[in-house]
Amino acid sequence: MTQQARAKSETVDGRIVRRHNNRRRIVGAMLELVRAGAISPVAEEVAERAGVGLRTVFRHFDDMDSLYREMAEAMRSELQPIVAAPLSSRDWKGRLGEIVERRSRLFERAMPFKNAADVHRHRSDFLRKDYESMRSAERDALEAVLPAALRNDKEFFEALDQALSFSTWQHLRRDQNLSQEQARQTVEYAVRALAGASGK
């Protein structure tokens, strides 16, 4: 490779690295702003937080779905240790109790991002599919801890799924203004009541 070709290659490589770093900083800045309560961060806020130019932000904002995807991947990496931890109780009611505690931590940490995602889901294919995938995974996890008779009891399962859903957590925390601990206790109470009513 000639010196001129090598210099050109290094210039291209440098641009790719800068573009990647800028994008990483933009995604990080958006997550920080969302965690701080900004449902729809504007480009000026993102540029200032990321330490990049406004034009750089606009270039990346042209592809919002890929930005949402990277934000979601960052959130999943952060929450994966909680999601992956095995349940330790030997009976299904004990495992349900563990799910209540686990989801209260997951939902609380993910709530700012999920609130922001709800606002934009109607115009984002990725966010809509991500939401459907998350709900499917939650239902699968719930089915996995229940005896077959309760998995097949549609009314019981749907009531339990609603009690353990993010929408319930969001309602308790945002609309009823309960503290995190109060919300957890409320969900726990509802789940205990449903489990007791099952007769199993």
PDB file of all heavy atoms in Angstrom, residues 103-132:
ATOM      1  N   ARG A 103     -39.872  -7.872  39.399  1.00  0.00           N
ATOM      2  CA  ARG A 103     -40.464  -6.926  38.459  1.00  0.00           C
ATOM      3  C   ARG A 103     -40.553  -5.525  39.047  1.00  0.00           C
ATOM      4  O   ARG A 103     -40.467  -4.540  38.311  1.00  0.00           O
ATOM      5  CB  ARG A 103     -41.845  -7.416  38.000  1.00  0.00           C
ATOM      6  CG  ARG A 103     -41.724  -8.628  37.090  1.00  0.00           C
ATOM      7  CD  ARG A 103     -42.988  -8.928  36.327  1.00  0.00           C
ATOM      8  NE  ARG A 103     -42.821 -10.137  35.543  1.00  0.00           N
ATOM      9  CZ  ARG A 103     -43.773 -10.690  34.802  1.00  0.00           C
ATOM     10  NH1 ARG A 103     -44.974 -10.120  34.732  1.00  0.00           N
ATOM     11  NH2 ARG A 103     -43.531 -11.793  34.111  1.00  0.00           N
ATOM     12  N   SER A 104     -40.722  -5.415  40.348  1.00  0.00           N
ATOM     13  CA  SER A 104     -40.746  -4.075  40.939  1.00  0.00           C
ATOM     14  C   SER A 104     -39.406  -3.380  40.719  1.00  0.00           C
ATOM     15  O   SER A 104     -39.364  -2.174  40.441  1.00  0.00           O
ATOM     16  CB  SER A 104     -41.081  -4.146  42.436  1.00  0.00           C
ATOM     17  OG  SER A 104     -40.031  -4.701  43.192  1.00  0.00           O
ATOM     18  N   ARG A 105     -38.311  -4.125  40.799  1.00  0.00           N
ATOM     19  CA  ARG A 105     -36.997  -3.532  40.547  1.00  0.00           C
ATOM     20  C   ARG A 105     -36.787  -3.256  39.060  1.00  0.00           C
ATOM     21  O   ARG A 105     -36.284  -2.192  38.677  1.00  0.00           O
ATOM     22  CB  ARG A 105     -35.887  -4.456  41.067  1.00  0.00           C
ATOM     23  CG  ARG A 105     -35.789  -4.506  42.585  1.00  0.00           C
ATOM     24  CD  ARG A 105     -34.569  -5.281  43.036  1.00  0.00           C
ATOM     25  NE  ARG A 105     -34.694  -6.695  42.769  1.00  0.00           N
ATOM     26  CZ  ARG A 105     -33.722  -7.473  42.288  1.00  0.00           C
ATOM     27  NH1 ARG A 105     -32.540  -6.962  41.996  1.00  0.00           N
ATOM     28  NH2 ARG A 105     -33.911  -8.767  42.087  1.00  0.00           N
ATOM     29  N   LEU A 106     -37.175  -4.214  38.221  1.00  0.00           N
ATOM     30  CA  LEU A 106     -37.025  -4.037  36.774  1.00  0.00           C
ATOM     31  C   LEU A 106     -37.841  -2.851  36.271  1.00  0.00           C
ATOM     32  O   LEU A 106     -37.332  -1.989  35.550  1.00  0.00           O
ATOM     33  CB  LEU A 106     -37.483  -5.303  36.046  1.00  0.00           C
ATOM     34  CG  LEU A 106     -36.548  -6.503  36.049  1.00  0.00           C
ATOM     35  CD1 LEU A 106     -37.260  -7.722  35.479  1.00  0.00           C
ATOM     36  CD2 LEU A 106     -35.281  -6.217  35.258  1.00  0.00           C
ATOM     37  N   PHE A 107     -39.118  -2.826  36.644  1.00  0.00           N
ATOM     38  CA  PHE A 107     -40.004  -1.776  36.143  1.00  0.00           C
ATOM     39  C   PHE A 107     -39.579  -0.408  36.643  1.00  0.00           C
ATOM     40  O   PHE A 107     -39.674   0.581  35.912  1.00  0.00           O
ATOM     41  CB  PHE A 107     -41.445  -2.062  36.556  1.00  0.00           C
ATOM     42  CG  PHE A 107     -42.068  -3.249  35.871  1.00  0.00           C
ATOM     43  CD1 PHE A 107     -43.193  -3.863  36.400  1.00  0.00           C
ATOM     44  CD2 PHE A 107     -41.529  -3.764  34.699  1.00  0.00           C
ATOM     45  CE1 PHE A 107     -43.776  -4.952  35.773  1.00  0.00           C
ATOM     46  CE2 PHE A 107     -42.102  -4.856  34.064  1.00  0.00           C
ATOM     47  CZ  PHE A 107     -43.234  -5.454  34.607  1.00  0.00           C
ATOM     48  N   GLU A 108     -39.110  -0.347  37.878  1.00  0.00           N
ATOM     49  CA  GLU A 108     -38.707   0.953  38.417  1.00  0.00           C
ATOM     50  C   GLU A 108     -37.514   1.511  37.658  1.00  0.00           C
ATOM     51  O   GLU A 108     -37.468   2.699  37.329  1.00  0.00           O
ATOM     52  CB  GLU A 108     -38.380   0.817  39.905  1.00  0.00           C
ATOM     53  CG  GLU A 108     -38.184   2.131  40.622  1.00  0.00           C
ATOM     54  CD  GLU A 108     -39.448   2.980  40.712  1.00  0.00           C
ATOM     55  OE1 GLU A 108     -40.562   2.441  40.541  1.00  0.00           O
ATOM     56  OE2 GLU A 108     -39.304   4.199  40.943  1.00  0.00           O
ATOM     57  N   ARG A 109     -36.553   0.657  37.367  1.00  0.00           N
ATOM     58  CA  ARG A 109     -35.364   1.122  36.651  1.00  0.00           C
ATOM     59  C   ARG A 109     -35.650   1.420  35.185  1.00  0.00           C
ATOM     60  O   ARG A 109     -35.055   2.315  34.600  1.00  0.00           O
ATOM     61  CB  ARG A 109     -34.252   0.079  36.781  1.00  0.00           C
ATOM     62  CG  ARG A 109     -33.665   0.036  38.195  1.00  0.00           C
ATOM     63  CD  ARG A 109     -32.691  -1.088  38.401  1.00  0.00           C
ATOM     64  NE  ARG A 109     -31.463  -0.916  37.643  1.00  0.00           N
ATOM     65  CZ  ARG A 109     -30.410  -1.724  37.771  1.00  0.00           C
ATOM     66  NH1 ARG A 109     -30.447  -2.732  38.623  1.00  0.00           N
ATOM     67  NH2 ARG A 109     -29.337  -1.525  37.045  1.00  0.00           N
ATOM     68  N   ALA A 110     -36.582   0.656  34.604  1.00  0.00           N
ATOM     69  CA  ALA A 110     -36.893   0.846  33.189  1.00  0.00           C
ATOM     70  C   ALA A 110     -37.981   1.890  32.953  1.00  0.00           C
ATOM     71  O   ALA A 110     -38.183   2.304  31.803  1.00  0.00           O
ATOM     72  CB  ALA A 110     -37.333  -0.484  32.578  1.00  0.00           C
ATOM     73  N   MET A 111     -38.661   2.347  34.008  1.00  0.00           N
ATOM     74  CA  MET A 111     -39.844   3.184  33.828  1.00  0.00           C
ATOM     75  C   MET A 111     -39.600   4.448  33.006  1.00  0.00           C
ATOM     76  O   MET A 111     -40.410   4.751  32.119  1.00  0.00           O
ATOM     77  CB  MET A 111     -40.462   3.549  35.188  1.00  0.00           C
ATOM     78  CG  MET A 111     -41.815   4.249  35.048  1.00  0.00           C
ATOM     79  SD  MET A 111     -42.849   4.144  36.537  1.00  0.00           S
ATOM     80  CE  MET A 111     -41.722   4.732  37.783  1.00  0.00           C
ATOM     81  N   PRO A 112     -38.544   5.217  33.227  1.00  0.00           N
ATOM     82  CA  PRO A 112     -38.354   6.419  32.395  1.00  0.00           C
ATOM     83  C   PRO A 112     -38.267   6.093  30.904  1.00  0.00           C
ATOM     84  O   PRO A 112     -38.881   6.762  30.070  1.00  0.00           O
ATOM     85  CB  PRO A 112     -37.038   7.009  32.915  1.00  0.00           C
ATOM     86  CG  PRO A 112     -36.928   6.501  34.312  1.00  0.00           C
ATOM     87  CD  PRO A 112     -37.508   5.115  34.265  1.00  0.00           C
ATOM     88  N   PHE A 113     -37.508   5.053  30.564  1.00  0.00           N
ATOM     89  CA  PHE A 113     -37.379   4.666  29.154  1.00  0.00           C
ATOM     90  C   PHE A 113     -38.706   4.161  28.608  1.00  0.00           C
ATOM     91  O   PHE A 113     -39.104   4.501  27.498  1.00  0.00           O
ATOM     92  CB  PHE A 113     -36.296   3.598  28.993  1.00  0.00           C
ATOM     93  CG  PHE A 113     -36.166   3.098  27.580  1.00  0.00           C
ATOM     94  CD1 PHE A 113     -35.555   3.875  26.609  1.00  0.00           C
ATOM     95  CD2 PHE A 113     -36.673   1.861  27.222  1.00  0.00           C
ATOM     96  CE1 PHE A 113     -35.448   3.424  25.301  1.00  0.00           C
ATOM     97  CE2 PHE A 113     -36.575   1.406  25.914  1.00  0.00           C
ATOM     98  CZ  PHE A 113     -35.954   2.191  24.955  1.00  0.00           C
ATOM     99  N   LYS A 114     -39.432   3.348  29.400  1.00  0.00           N
ATOM    100  CA  LYS A 114     -40.694   2.798  28.929  1.00  0.00           C
ATOM    101  C   LYS A 114     -41.748   3.888  28.774  1.00  0.00           C
ATOM    102  O   LYS A 114     -42.567   3.849  27.855  1.00  0.00           O
ATOM    103  CB  LYS A 114     -41.159   1.692  29.887  1.00  0.00           C
ATOM    104  CG  LYS A 114     -40.277   0.443  29.810  1.00  0.00           C
ATOM    105  CD  LYS A 114     -40.597  -0.549  30.896  1.00  0.00           C
ATOM    106  CE  LYS A 114     -41.879  -1.278  30.618  1.00  0.00           C
ATOM    107  NZ  LYS A 114     -41.831  -2.082  29.392  1.00  0.00           N
ATOM    108  N   ASN A 115     -41.739   4.874  29.670  1.00  0.00           N
ATOM    109  CA  ASN A 115     -42.668   6.002  29.521  1.00  0.00           C
ATOM    110  C   ASN A 115     -42.395   6.752  28.220  1.00  0.00           C
ATOM    111  O   ASN A 115     -43.324   7.135  27.500  1.00  0.00           O
ATOM    112  CB  ASN A 115     -42.540   6.958  30.704  1.00  0.00           C
ATOM    113  CG  ASN A 115     -43.152   6.404  31.977  1.00  0.00           C
ATOM    114  OD1 ASN A 115     -43.956   5.465  31.942  1.00  0.00           O
ATOM    115  ND2 ASN A 115     -42.781   6.974  33.104  1.00  0.00           N
ATOM    116  N   ALA A 116     -41.111   6.978  27.933  1.00  0.00           N
ATOM    117  CA  ALA A 116     -40.744   7.667  26.692  1.00  0.00           C
ATOM    118  C   ALA A 116     -41.094   6.812  25.478  1.00  0.00           C
ATOM    119  O   ALA A 116     -41.600   7.319  24.470  1.00  0.00           O
ATOM    120  CB  ALA A 116     -39.252   7.999  26.703  1.00  0.00           C
ATOM    121  N   ALA A 117     -40.855   5.507  25.579  1.00  0.00           N
ATOM    122  CA  ALA A 117     -41.149   4.611  24.458  1.00  0.00           C
ATOM    123  C   ALA A 117     -42.645   4.591  24.154  1.00  0.00           C
ATOM    124  O   ALA A 117     -43.045   4.529  22.981  1.00  0.00           O
ATOM    125  CB  ALA A 117     -40.649   3.202  24.773  1.00  0.00           C
ATOM    126  N   ASP A 118     -43.475   4.646  25.196  1.00  0.00           N
ATOM    127  CA  ASP A 118     -44.931   4.632  24.983  1.00  0.00           C
ATOM    128  C   ASP A 118     -45.375   5.803  24.104  1.00  0.00           C
ATOM    129  O   ASP A 118     -46.279   5.665  23.270  1.00  0.00           O
ATOM    130  CB  ASP A 118     -45.665   4.711  26.326  1.00  0.00           C
ATOM    131  CG  ASP A 118     -45.647   3.387  27.073  1.00  0.00           C
ATOM    132  OD1 ASP A 118     -45.259   2.366  26.478  1.00  0.00           O
ATOM    133  OD2 ASP A 118     -46.015   3.383  28.266  1.00  0.00           O
ATOM    134  N   VAL A 119     -44.737   6.957  24.288  1.00  0.00           N
ATOM    135  CA  VAL A 119     -45.106   8.153  23.532  1.00  0.00           C
ATOM    136  C   VAL A 119     -44.786   7.991  22.051  1.00  0.00           C
ATOM    137  O   VAL A 119     -45.524   8.475  21.181  1.00  0.00           O
ATOM    138  CB  VAL A 119     -44.382   9.394  24.109  1.00  0.00           C
ATOM    139  CG1 VAL A 119     -44.602  10.623  23.223  1.00  0.00           C
ATOM    140  CG2 VAL A 119     -44.863   9.675  25.532  1.00  0.00           C
ATOM    141  N   HIS A 120     -43.700   7.287  21.757  1.00  0.00           N
ATOM    142  CA  HIS A 120     -43.217   7.202  20.371  1.00  0.00           C
ATOM    143  C   HIS A 120     -43.561   5.884  19.677  1.00  0.00           C
ATOM    144  O   HIS A 120     -43.278   5.727  18.493  1.00  0.00           O
ATOM    145  CB  HIS A 120     -41.693   7.388  20.348  1.00  0.00           C
ATOM    146  CG  HIS A 120     -41.238   8.686  20.943  1.00  0.00           C
ATOM    147  ND1 HIS A 120     -41.480   9.890  20.335  1.00  0.00           N
ATOM    148  CD2 HIS A 120     -40.578   8.961  22.100  1.00  0.00           C
ATOM    149  CE1 HIS A 120     -40.982  10.870  21.093  1.00  0.00           C
ATOM    150  NE2 HIS A 120     -40.439  10.329  22.157  1.00  0.00           N
ATOM    151  N   ARG A 121     -44.185   4.944  20.412  1.00  0.00           N
ATOM    152  CA  ARG A 121     -44.401   3.601  19.867  1.00  0.00           C
ATOM    153  C   ARG A 121     -45.266   3.615  18.609  1.00  0.00           C
ATOM    154  O   ARG A 121     -45.051   2.817  17.699  1.00  0.00           O
ATOM    155  CB  ARG A 121     -45.040   2.705  20.927  1.00  0.00           C
ATOM    156  CG  ARG A 121     -45.001   1.216  20.560  1.00  0.00           C
ATOM    157  CD  ARG A 121     -45.854   0.382  21.492  1.00  0.00           C
ATOM    158  NE  ARG A 121     -45.572   0.675  22.879  1.00  0.00           N
ATOM    159  CZ  ARG A 121     -46.476   0.600  23.851  1.00  0.00           C
ATOM    160  NH1 ARG A 121     -47.715   0.275  23.571  1.00  0.00           N
ATOM    161  NH2 ARG A 121     -46.146   0.866  25.100  1.00  0.00           N
ATOM    162  N   HIS A 122     -46.215   4.530  18.547  1.00  0.00           N
ATOM    163  CA  HIS A 122     -47.148   4.542  17.406  1.00  0.00           C
ATOM    164  C   HIS A 122     -46.453   4.865  16.081  1.00  0.00           C
ATOM    165  O   HIS A 122     -46.976   4.555  15.014  1.00  0.00           O
ATOM    166  CB  HIS A 122     -48.283   5.544  17.654  1.00  0.00           C
ATOM    167  CG  HIS A 122     -47.853   6.977  17.602  1.00  0.00           C
ATOM    168  ND1 HIS A 122     -47.180   7.573  18.647  1.00  0.00           N
ATOM    169  CD2 HIS A 122     -47.979   7.921  16.632  1.00  0.00           C
ATOM    170  CE1 HIS A 122     -46.915   8.836  18.325  1.00  0.00           C
ATOM    171  NE2 HIS A 122     -47.386   9.071  17.120  1.00  0.00           N
ATOM    172  N   ARG A 123     -45.261   5.503  16.147  1.00  0.00           N
ATOM    173  CA  ARG A 123     -44.573   5.837  14.898  1.00  0.00           C
ATOM    174  C   ARG A 123     -43.218   5.130  14.763  1.00  0.00           C
ATOM    175  O   ARG A 123     -42.399   5.527  13.927  1.00  0.00           O
ATOM    176  CB  ARG A 123     -44.380   7.362  14.786  1.00  0.00           C
ATOM    177  CG  ARG A 123     -43.587   8.024  15.873  1.00  0.00           C
ATOM    178  CD  ARG A 123     -43.348   9.497  15.527  1.00  0.00           C
ATOM    179  NE  ARG A 123     -42.609  10.183  16.569  1.00  0.00           N
ATOM    180  CZ  ARG A 123     -43.153  10.949  17.499  1.00  0.00           C
ATOM    181  NH1 ARG A 123     -44.465  11.115  17.526  1.00  0.00           N
ATOM    182  NH2 ARG A 123     -42.422  11.551  18.417  1.00  0.00           N
ATOM    183  N   SER A 124     -43.015   4.105  15.571  1.00  0.00           N
ATOM    184  CA  SER A 124     -41.748   3.374  15.505  1.00  0.00           C
ATOM    185  C   SER A 124     -42.016   1.874  15.406  1.00  0.00           C
ATOM    186  O   SER A 124     -42.548   1.270  16.343  1.00  0.00           O
ATOM    187  CB  SER A 124     -40.884   3.671  16.737  1.00  0.00           C
ATOM    188  OG  SER A 124     -39.815   2.752  16.840  1.00  0.00           O
ATOM    189  N   ASP A 125     -41.637   1.276  14.277  1.00  0.00           N
ATOM    190  CA  ASP A 125     -41.784  -0.172  14.129  1.00  0.00           C
ATOM    191  C   ASP A 125     -40.982  -0.903  15.193  1.00  0.00           C
ATOM    192  O   ASP A 125     -41.439  -1.899  15.753  1.00  0.00           O
ATOM    193  CB  ASP A 125     -41.314  -0.615  12.741  1.00  0.00           C
ATOM    194  CG  ASP A 125     -42.280  -0.212  11.644  1.00  0.00           C
ATOM    195  OD1 ASP A 125     -43.461   0.048  11.969  1.00  0.00           O
ATOM    196  OD2 ASP A 125     -41.856  -0.148  10.475  1.00  0.00           O
ATOM    197  N   PHE A 126     -39.770  -0.409  15.461  1.00  0.00           N
ATOM    198  CA  PHE A 126     -38.929  -1.097  16.434  1.00  0.00           C
ATOM    199  C   PHE A 126     -39.560  -1.083  17.825  1.00  0.00           C
ATOM    200  O   PHE A 126     -39.618  -2.115  18.497  1.00  0.00           O
ATOM    201  CB  PHE A 126     -37.527  -0.477  16.516  1.00  0.00           C
ATOM    202  CG  PHE A 126     -36.758  -1.009  17.694  1.00  0.00           C
ATOM    203  CD1 PHE A 126     -36.220  -2.284  17.648  1.00  0.00           C
ATOM    204  CD2 PHE A 126     -36.634  -0.264  18.862  1.00  0.00           C
ATOM    205  CE1 PHE A 126     -35.553  -2.811  18.755  1.00  0.00           C
ATOM    206  CE2 PHE A 126     -35.970  -0.785  19.966  1.00  0.00           C
ATOM    207  CZ  PHE A 126     -35.426  -2.051  19.906  1.00  0.00           C
ATOM    208  N   LEU A 127     -40.021   0.084  18.281  1.00  0.00           N
ATOM    209  CA  LEU A 127     -40.591   0.181  19.622  1.00  0.00           C
ATOM    210  C   LEU A 127     -41.852  -0.666  19.749  1.00  0.00           C
ATOM    211  O   LEU A 127     -42.093  -1.272  20.801  1.00  0.00           O
ATOM    212  CB  LEU A 127     -40.898   1.635  19.978  1.00  0.00           C
ATOM    213  CG  LEU A 127     -39.680   2.533  20.210  1.00  0.00           C
ATOM    214  CD1 LEU A 127     -40.122   3.961  20.497  1.00  0.00           C
ATOM    215  CD2 LEU A 127     -38.823   2.010  21.369  1.00  0.00           C
ATOM    216  N   ARG A 128     -42.644  -0.713  18.708  1.00  0.00           N
ATOM    217  CA  ARG A 128     -43.857  -1.539  18.746  1.00  0.00           C
ATOM    218  C   ARG A 128     -43.482  -3.024  18.858  1.00  0.00           C
ATOM    219  O   ARG A 128     -44.038  -3.754  19.695  1.00  0.00           O
ATOM    220  CB  ARG A 128     -44.696  -1.296  17.499  1.00  0.00           C
ATOM    221  CG  ARG A 128     -46.040  -2.020  17.515  1.00  0.00           C
ATOM    222  CD  ARG A 128     -46.937  -1.577  16.378  1.00  0.00           C
ATOM    223  NE  ARG A 128     -46.339  -1.805  15.073  1.00  0.00           N
ATOM    224  CZ  ARG A 128     -45.820  -0.834  14.316  1.00  0.00           C
ATOM    225  NH1 ARG A 128     -45.817   0.421  14.720  1.00  0.00           N
ATOM    226  NH2 ARG A 128     -45.305  -1.116  13.132  1.00  0.00           N
ATOM    227  N   LYS A 129     -42.534  -3.471  18.055  1.00  0.00           N
ATOM    228  CA  LYS A 129     -42.113  -4.875  18.110  1.00  0.00           C
ATOM    229  C   LYS A 129     -41.407  -5.193  19.421  1.00  0.00           C
ATOM    230  O   LYS A 129     -41.562  -6.289  19.973  1.00  0.00           O
ATOM    231  CB  LYS A 129     -41.215  -5.192  16.918  1.00  0.00           C
ATOM    232  CG  LYS A 129     -41.952  -5.196  15.589  1.00  0.00           C
ATOM    233  CD  LYS A 129     -40.999  -5.373  14.416  1.00  0.00           C
ATOM    234  CE  LYS A 129     -41.736  -5.286  13.087  1.00  0.00           C
ATOM    235  NZ  LYS A 129     -40.809  -5.333  11.934  1.00  0.00           N
ATOM    236  N   ASP A 130     -40.634  -4.246  19.925  1.00  0.00           N
ATOM    237  CA  ASP A 130     -39.937  -4.441  21.191  1.00  0.00           C
ATOM    238  C   ASP A 130     -40.933  -4.600  22.334  1.00  0.00           C
ATOM    239  O   ASP A 130     -40.763  -5.439  23.227  1.00  0.00           O
ATOM    240  CB  ASP A 130     -38.998  -3.257  21.461  1.00  0.00           C
ATOM    241  CG  ASP A 130     -38.049  -3.515  22.622  1.00  0.00           C
ATOM    242  OD1 ASP A 130     -37.298  -4.507  22.555  1.00  0.00           O
ATOM    243  OD2 ASP A 130     -38.053  -2.722  23.583  1.00  0.00           O
ATOM    244  N   TYR A 131     -41.994  -3.789  22.314  1.00  0.00           N
ATOM    245  CA  TYR A 131     -43.037  -3.885  23.330  1.00  0.00           C
ATOM    246  C   TYR A 131     -43.727  -5.249  23.253  1.00  0.00           C
ATOM    247  O   TYR A 131     -43.936  -5.911  24.291  1.00  0.00           O
ATOM    248  CB  TYR A 131     -44.065  -2.771  23.128  1.00  0.00           C
ATOM    249  CG  TYR A 131     -45.282  -2.901  24.005  1.00  0.00           C
ATOM    250  CD1 TYR A 131     -45.256  -2.490  25.342  1.00  0.00           C
ATOM    251  CD2 TYR A 131     -46.474  -3.435  23.503  1.00  0.00           C
ATOM    252  CE1 TYR A 131     -46.367  -2.631  26.156  1.00  0.00           C
ATOM    253  CE2 TYR A 131     -47.591  -3.570  24.314  1.00  0.00           C
ATOM    254  CZ  TYR A 131     -47.529  -3.164  25.638  1.00  0.00           C
ATOM    255  OH  TYR A 131     -48.637  -3.309  26.438  1.00  0.00           O
ATOM    256  N   GLU A 132     -44.068  -5.687  22.058  1.00  0.00           N
ATOM    257  CA  GLU A 132     -44.731  -6.977  21.897  1.00  0.00           C
ATOM    258  C   GLU A 132     -43.824  -8.116  22.365  1.00  0.00           C
ATOM    259  O   GLU A 132     -44.293  -9.068  23.006  1.00  0.00           O
ATOM    260  CB  GLU A 132     -45.124  -7.179  20.426  1.00  0.00           C
ATOM    261  CG  GLU A 132     -46.223  -6.232  19.973  1.00  0.00           C
ATOM    262  CD  GLU A 132     -46.402  -6.210  18.460  1.00  0.00           C
ATOM    263  OE1 GLU A 132     -45.619  -6.900  17.767  1.00  0.00           O
ATOM    264  OE2 GLU A 132     -47.306  -5.506  17.973  1.00  0.00           O
TER     265      GLU A 132
END
